[in-house]
Amino acid sequence: MDTQQRALLFGAAAALRLLLFTFFPSLPALLAGRVEVSTPVTSFKRCTYAPIHPSPPPSMNHSVADLSISIVQEGVFLYTHNLSPYDGGVFHQAPLLLPLFSLLPDPSHAPLATNLLFVVVDLLSANALAQLADSGFASVTRLFASSRKHLKWSSMAIAAGFLFNPFTVATCIARSTSALSNMFILTAMAKASQGASVTFVLSVAFAAYLAMHPILLFPPVLMLLYDARSIKTKSAPDVWSFTAIHSVALAASMGALLSASAFLTGSWDFLAATYGVRLLLPDLTPNVGLWWYFFIEMFDSFREFFLAVFWLHAASYMPGLTIRLYRQPVFVACSLIGVFTIFTPYPSIADAALYLAVVPLFRHLFPMMRYTFLAASSILYTSFLGPAFYHLWIYAGSGNANFFYAITLVWSLGLSVILGDSLYAALRDELDVERPELQVSFRSVYKTILSSGNYDMAGDKINPLSAREMEVLALAWQCMDVQPKIDTHKLASLTGYTPGSASVTMGNIKRKLKILGDSLTSKSGPTTPKKTVTPKSTAGSKRGAPANETPSKRQKSGGRPKQQHSAKDDEDDDEEMTKTEESIKVKKELFEDAMDGGKEDADGAFAMLEGLESFAAQGMGF
């Protein structure tokens, strides 16, 4: 990405956020209270404080009830007054965030420093995303290169899509701590693509420390780091030692962060208040996820079982995707981000913003994605109706929880369509690389022949078979005394098929030729010979035969009696003939619709479709 263009893009994104902070001072508080933007484990309101009646700080010996504020909501207030931030059961975030925000001025009086912090976090996330796009690992890795790798967007366009995404902007304005988790996830992926082991391990450790579920990204991103190191050093490290070293480094980093948290809070109680809340789901505040309503309706006796099932389901995608798509580690990591967006207990639009930011990395998969319109429509539909349904439920009182939960189901459906469609496209892309001959369809080959002026590989003019010639060919096939023996191995080598596929294809062609020949024979009917005048019978003629009787009549009268057909047999024959004619007519109509030309082109194309391969087979010595 050009430096000037990057500076212009980042400057515009920062200016937009600062303008919203400045001209709409009540907007951060409004968005921070929205369940779509903030959750119990990412809310900025629960991480800072805003006392209604400011007063001098009380002594450390006073209880919480003696504090001259109306409501104690935020962890920083408790932390700055030497109280456990987890005593109130409201603060559920990582302890190391407390000293960070305690160093900043009170955002209710001087919000500029806090606002600048979140603006910088967004810019760092966009920079990491641009670095990941520039690496090219989305379409080309050590073990895989997409056949459509030339299809890609610039890193500047991808970064712009992230920075100006309304979900990203809303997350920044609401000052949700999900922005920090997203920054560390993108940084880990970017540094892994550059082969920077230390920064990668630290970024994964911080992301897992803040949100817990990013620990599942470690295996695929570690594979990305392995590929980058192998390409960079032009020699592949030992897999087991490489994995062991980085796993131990990650465990040590996580241990250091947790130990620092215990030292900061004075106990290990923060584990139950932070990660325990994510695992056990005690806070059922509505959000855009699938868990809250289900567990509101759940009987307590089944709660532990379904908690295990839900978490097992969310975690089970990682090993399957990593093993199956091991040659595309970036795609695996991005797909897992989509899984987290849908199936974690406390998702928000910040998670959706991250997933929608990494999807454009795979521009080469877009031509094979089939439901982009459905997915985009679902996301737009729920983005507008979600807040409306929540208002009807909570404020207007004219709805209930089913209204909001129904729209969150549609939201999850839209994200699931994107996830499933991209997985199909990635698998199809791998298949196209492994079996390139499957990319060529008969229609594309035939249209190429038509558009090339009917020339063969040697440059000689090709005269396509006419419809009448195809009929003669089908009838001639019926007149063969012995069916021709076809070398399926030779046919497979010439057509690019496997021997089994070539045999099946040739069998279909034979069957079509037989049906066409039978239909032509049944339509034409038996021919009636002309009557010929024969001389009168001589002495050697057969006694009893009339003198004016033709030889054919004498043969009929003197031979075996003609076999009689019942009326039912005649009706069956007529019905079979009608079905055959209708089948051929339907095939012609379907092929005519599929062709771009008119009916005349379709007739010739249909005839060529029915006999081109058989005619070519005879020309090759079948």
Side-chain angles (χ1 to χ4, degrees):
M1 184 186 297
D2 184 72
T3 305
Q4 294 181 351
Q5 292 179 339
R6 179 183 301 185
L8 180 63
L9 173 63
F10 285 10
L16 173 64
R17 287 159 171 76
L18 292 177
L19 287 175
L20 291 175
F21 277 124
T22 303
F23 291 101
F24 301 96
S26 61
L27 186 59
L30 174 65
L31 292 177
R34 298 296 308 181
V35 295
E36 303 92 345
V37 183
S38 298
T39 67
V41 294
T42 62
S43 174
F44 181 74
K45 291 178 66 176
R46 300 193 183 198
C47 192
T48 57
Y49 70 97
I52 296 178
H53 302 290
S55 62
S59 63
M60 299 302 175
N61 296 327
H62 288 183
S63 64
V64 177
D66 295 332
L67 300 179
S68 57
I69 59 174
S70 59
I71 301 176
V72 178
Q73 299 180 355
E74 296 85 3
V76 171
F77 186 87
L78 296 173
Y79 169 74
T80 55
H81 290 81
N82 202 23
L83 297 171
S84 174
Y86 303 103
D87 284 345
V90 177
F91 181 68
H92 303 301
Q93 302 190 48
L96 293 183
L97 292 177
L98 298 173
L100 171 64
F101 288 110
S102 64
L103 295 175
L104 301 176
D106 181 5
S108 61
H109 301 295
L112 181 60
T114 305
N115 298 343
L116 286 176
L117 172 64
F118 281 93
V119 170
V120 171
V121 167
D122 269 8
L123 297 182
L124 291 176
S125 300
N127 184 62
L129 182 61
Q131 292 177 357
L132 180 61
D134 286 331
S135 68
F137 276 103
S139 57
V140 179
T141 63
R142 182 176 61 93
L143 301 175
F144 176 78
S146 173
S147 58
R148 302 171 181 84
K149 58 187 176 183
H150 60 281
L151 296 176
K152 59 181 178 180
W153 280 312
S154 66
S155 56
M156 182 176 179
I158 296 175
F162 170 75
L163 287 173
F164 293 99
N165 186 340
F167 297 154
T168 308
V169 175
T171 302
C172 179
I173 300 301
R175 296 173 292 196
S176 171
T177 55
S178 294
L180 296 172
S181 303
N182 293 348
M183 180 192 69
F184 285 118
I185 290 174
L186 291 174
T187 302
M189 297 176 66
K191 295 305 177 182
S193 66
Q194 298 173 357
S197 297
V198 176
T199 315
F200 155 72
V201 170
L202 292 177
S203 299
V204 174
F206 273 104
Y209 171 75
L210 293 176
M212 192 179 72
H213 61 262
I215 192 67
L216 296 175
L217 293 174
F218 179 70
V221 183
L222 181 63
M223 294 169 59
L224 173 62
L225 176 66
Y226 183 86
D227 288 351
R229 290 282 294 275
S230 300
I231 295 175
K232 187 176 181 180
T233 60
K234 297 182 180 180
S235 62
D238 181 69
V239 175
W240 297 109
S241 61
F242 184 86
T243 304
I245 291 173
H246 288 84
S247 299
V248 171
L250 178 64
S253 301
M254 289 293 300
L257 291 174
L258 295 177
S259 300
S261 300
F263 176 78
L264 184 68
T265 59
S267 67
W268 293 91
D269 295 340
F270 73 93
L271 293 176
T274 53
Y275 309 118
V277 169
R278 294 177 181 270
L279 289 172
L280 302 178
L281 204 72
D283 193 328
L284 295 176
T285 302
N287 53 68
V288 296
L290 304 174
W291 292 45
W292 63 274
Y293 187 82
F294 187 86
F295 283 95
I296 285 177
E297 303 294 334
M298 176 61 57
F299 291 108
D300 291 340
S301 57
F302 298 103
R303 182 180 176 85
E304 290 78 9
F305 171 76
F306 280 101
L307 277 173
V309 169
F310 272 51
W311 270 115
L312 181 63
H313 172 258
S316 62
Y317 288 92
M318 186 274 291
L321 290 175
T322 304
I323 295 172
R324 176 59 184 85
L325 296 170
Y326 68 96
R327 294 183 294 179
Q328 304 184 60
V330 177
F331 180 79
V332 174
C334 295
S335 297
L336 289 177
I337 292 174
V339 171
F340 301 154
T341 304
I342 303 169
F343 298 117
T344 49
Y346 294 108
S348 66
I349 62 171
D351 302 297
L354 177 61
Y355 180 56
L356 296 178
V358 297
V359 168
L361 292 172
F362 308 97
R363 170 66 180 85
H364 60 284
L365 299 181
F366 280 27
M368 293 174 288
M369 296 177 67
R370 302 164 294 175
Y371 307 111
T372 51
F373 176 77
L374 174 63
S377 301
S378 301
I379 298 298
L380 292 175
Y381 170 82
T382 53
S383 298
F384 288 102
L385 287 187
F389 281 13
Y390 185 79
H391 177 82
L392 291 176
W393 172 31
I394 298 298
Y395 299 103
S398 56
N400 53 35
N402 294 329
F403 279 59
F404 184 68
Y405 188 63
I407 208 67
T408 60
L409 290 178
V410 180
W411 166 267
S412 299
L413 174 64
L415 294 173
S416 301
V417 169
I418 299 176
L419 178 61
D421 209 11
S422 62
L423 283 172
Y424 164 80
L427 294 174
R428 175 65 183 275
D429 193 34
E430 282 195 354
L431 181 63
D432 289 345
V433 173
E434 295 172 357
R435 298 285 302 277
E437 69 275 6
L438 298 180
Q439 298 184 56
V440 183
S441 63
F442 177 80
R443 181 183 176 187
S444 62
V445 172
Y446 183 70
K447 291 182 69 175
T448 303
I449 294 176
L450 293 179
S451 61
S452 63
N454 296 330
Y455 286 92
D456 61 7
M457 298 298 293
D460 299 327
K461 185 73 174 181
I462 299 176
N463 295 319
L465 297 176
S466 64
R468 180 56 183 168
E469 289 172 338
M470 287 303 308
E471 294 177 358
V472 174
L473 177 62
L475 292 172
W477 187 271
Q478 310 301 321
C479 300
M480 293 182 182
D481 295 334
V482 180
Q483 290 290 334
K485 184 178 180 181
I486 298 175
D487 187 352
T488 56
H489 292 278
K490 183 178 180 181
L491 179 61
S493 63
L494 293 173
T495 58
Y497 292 155
T498 61
S501 300
S503 177
V504 172
T505 303
M506 200 61 210
N508 293 333
I509 294 173
K510 291 179 182 179
R511 185 168 58 255
K512 291 178 182 179
L513 287 174
K514 185 178 184 305
I515 293 174
L516 181 58
D518 292 342
S519 63
L520 293 173
T521 304
S522 61
K523 285 196 296 185
S524 61
T527 58
T528 304
K530 295 182 180 180
K531 289 186 178 181
T532 58
V533 180
T534 58
K536 295 182 179 180
S537 60
T538 60
S541 62
K542 188 175 181 180
R543 182 176 298 179
N548 59 350
E549 188 175 4
T550 62
S552 60
K553 289 184 178 180
R554 288 199 298 268
Q555 183 179 0
K556 290 181 180 179
S557 61
R560 184 176 297 178
K562 183 178 180 181
Q563 185 177 357
Q564 299 295 326
H565 292 276
S566 63
K568 182 178 180 181
D569 294 336
D570 294 336
E571 292 176 0
D572 293 339
D573 293 339
D574 294 339
E575 183 179 356
E576 182 178 359
M577 184 188 309
T578 304
K579 289 182 178 179
T580 303
E581 293 174 0
E582 291 177 355
S583 176
I584 296 175
K585 182 179 179 181
V586 169
K587 289 181 179 179
K588 287 186 177 181
E589 291 175 353
L590 292 175
F591 200 81
E592 181 179 349
D593 293 338
M595 297 301 295
D596 296 333
K599 185 177 184 303
E600 183 177 356
D601 291 338
D603 290 338
F606 176 78
M608 193 171 185
L609 173 65
E610 292 290 330
L612 181 58
E613 295 187 15
S614 176
F615 183 75
Q618 291 183 5
M620 289 184 287
F622 297 140

